[in-house]
Structures are given as C-alpha cells and as structure tokens.
Amino acid sequence: MAEQQDQKGCATREMVDEVLAAYPDKAQKMRAKHITVKEEGCASCSIRSNSKTVPGLMTARGCAYAGAKGVVFGPVKDMVHISHGPVGCGYYSWGNRRNLAEGTLGVDNFVPFQFTSDFSEGDIVYGGDKKLEQLCREVKELFPTVKGISVMSECPVGLIGDDIESVSKRMSKELGIPIVPVRCEGFRGISQSLGHHIANDAVRDHLLAKKERPDPGPYDVSLIGDYNIGGDAWASIKILEEMGLKVRNTWTGDSTIEMLQTAHQVKLNLIHCYRSMNYICKHMEEEYGI
C-alpha cells in the first residue's frame, strides 16, 4: 500500500514538473508556489493563495481600471464607456460581468458593447488626445441618442501624461453631452477597490446633483452598490416597492446617467455592496443629509 502511494506521489510530482516546464524561468518560479502535491503529514505543503495581483499581468482578478470600468461605470446603460488605451484591457469592457440592462441596444442600452481607443505605439510616442477627440465624435455620430460618455484611462495613458480632463471638457461642450474623465489607470491600485473609489469620485465631481427631478417624494430611496448581476437588482426593487418605497436610482445596475445626476434628492440610501459604494454614500450623507 505504501509503495503504491509512493508511486502515485512520484507520478503527481512529475505531472507538476511537466506543467511548470511550459513557463519561462521567472514565471515558473512564481507559478510553482501555486501548485503542490498533497502528502500525508506534510505541514509545508500548502499552496500560496490570496496574494495581490501584480500590475500589468493578465489575470481574472482586477486593478483600479477594472474596478472603475467593470464594476461602477460599466452598468450605466445609456452612456458609452470608452476604454482609453490598448485594446487588451477590453477584457473588462465587454460583458464579462453579466450586468443585465433593459433597453434597445445601440439606442438607450450600450452595456454589451466595447468601445476602445485602441492605442498603438504611435499613440504612446505622440499622445492620444487627438484620437480621443475623434472617438468621442464618432460615438455621437454613430449613436446620436447616447446620453453621455465616460473616458476610462488605462495604464499607458497615465504614464505618458495625456490630458483626458481637458479633452473631455472640450468635447462635452462641442457634443452637448456630459463626458466624464476617470483617472483609473490600473497601476494606481493592485485591486479593484481603489477603482471603485476613483469612479465614485468622478460621479461626485461631474454628475451628482447636476439635475433636479420634478417629483421627489417622501419614500424615495436609492439602491446603492447593486450591479444587477443576473438581474438581482430587479428582484430587490420589486421587494422594496411592495413595501411602499419608491426606488428612484440603482447604482449602477440597469442605471441611467439621470439616476446618477438626481440621486441627491432621495431620502435614504440602501447599500448592498458596502466595499464599492461606501465612499459616495458617506459623501451624500455629509453633503445632502441622506
């Protein structure tokens, strides 16, 4: 029996060695910490997990850009969200979170679409401001019913110092719609959390309280930090409204730019995901008494 276990253990270790052999030396050294052979009585056989993502590596985990684009802004359905930088970061731009939204695609729902400025080497050398201006014009020309645009900056944009703020301000005036610059370069944070904060700050500075709803009521509430993954926000809204509350805003599942602009008028914020939305809720409590 012991001999069979030894043979099985040797075969497993050989399989692990074969898997690791496919990696370059540096990556192999890092990857080896995540694969191990479980042996009876081995106290040091645990694998290394729950470690922070290294900025620049393609991973299913997130960065600041992923938190801003993939979580907070992505589900706002009547805005076009531009991934400003190389196309590779489109991984977090194209429907991978199952954010459901009602509406007509290309008219008042752009959630499943990907928009990118597709940076090349020339843009890194000479800057991408002109390309961003052109892209904003193309968005408005192709989708005249779009209510706003967000510019989500990727790592190279921050490294070369592109001024997305001035471009956004200039194009907002030209096109007549809000254009929100979001400084969410991935290297700013090695988890999504900082991206949530950056995105909320952008909403606060450029959208919140920019409009007034004509019919505020005493039972108006916002559902904050629900991204309608698989339609969960719709179920929550149904329950809350059967209780007699009126859900005016969802942040940001199946959301609209007008919801973000008028959210300062509600009486109560109901926070679903505290980690991603505590910043904006704290601001609204201090500024508007919500």
Side-chain angles (χ1 to χ4, degrees), residues 200-254:
N200 281 318
D201 286 351
V203 172
R204 177 199 65 199
D205 295 340
H206 298 278
L207 297 177
L208 185 61
K210 299 301 183 183
K211 278 189 177 182
E212 295 288 329
R213 195 169 44 245
D215 58 341
Y219 300 105
D220 290 354
V221 301
S222 289
L223 183 57
I224 306 287
D226 194 314
Y227 306 102
N228 206 32
I229 306 295
D232 57 349
W234 294 333
S236 298
I237 291 170
K238 182 179 179 181
I239 294 170
L240 293 169
E241 294 195 338
E242 285 178 354
M243 292 168 55
L245 301 174
K246 190 166 186 176
V247 180
R248 288 290 197 166
N249 313 294
T250 50
W251 279 40
T252 50
D254 194 27

Side-chain angles (χ1 to χ4, degrees), residues 9 17 39 50 86 107 161 171 196 225 244 262:
D17 292 340
E39 296 176 332
N50 197 31
V107 178
M171 296 311 299
H196 304 155
T262 61

Side-chain angles (χ1 to χ4, degrees), residues 128-142:
D129 287 358
K130 296 299 181 184
K131 174 174 274 192
L132 180 58
E133 288 184 3
Q134 178 186 350
L135 182 52
C136 288
R137 293 189 184 101
E138 288 181 359
V139 165
K140 184 62 175 174
E141 181 179 355
L142 291 170

Side-chain angles (χ1 to χ4, degrees), residues 20 28-36 46-49:
L20 293 174
Q28 184 181 130
K29 184 178 179 180
M30 295 177 63
R31 191 61 179 152
K33 300 173 184 178
H34 301 273
I35 307 175
T36 190
S46 59
I47 62 173
R48 184 180 178 186
S49 60

Side-chain angles (χ1 to χ4, degrees), residues 82-89 116-120 152-157:
I82 296 174
S83 293
H84 187 36
V87 70
C89 292
T116 176
S117 53
D118 189 21
F119 255 46
S120 63
M152 322 298 293
S153 56
E154 301 171 18
C155 286
V157 173

Side-chain angles (χ1 to χ4, degrees), residues 2 5 12 39 42 47 60 87 133 145 149 161 168-169 184 225 236-238 246 252 259 263 276 278:
Q5 289 179 338
T12 306
E39 296 176 332
C42 181
I47 62 173
V87 70
E133 288 184 3
T145 57
I149 297 172
S168 298
K169 185 176 182 179
C184 56
S236 298
I237 291 170
K238 182 179 179 181
K246 190 166 186 176
T252 50
M259 287 183 181
S276 63
N278 67 84

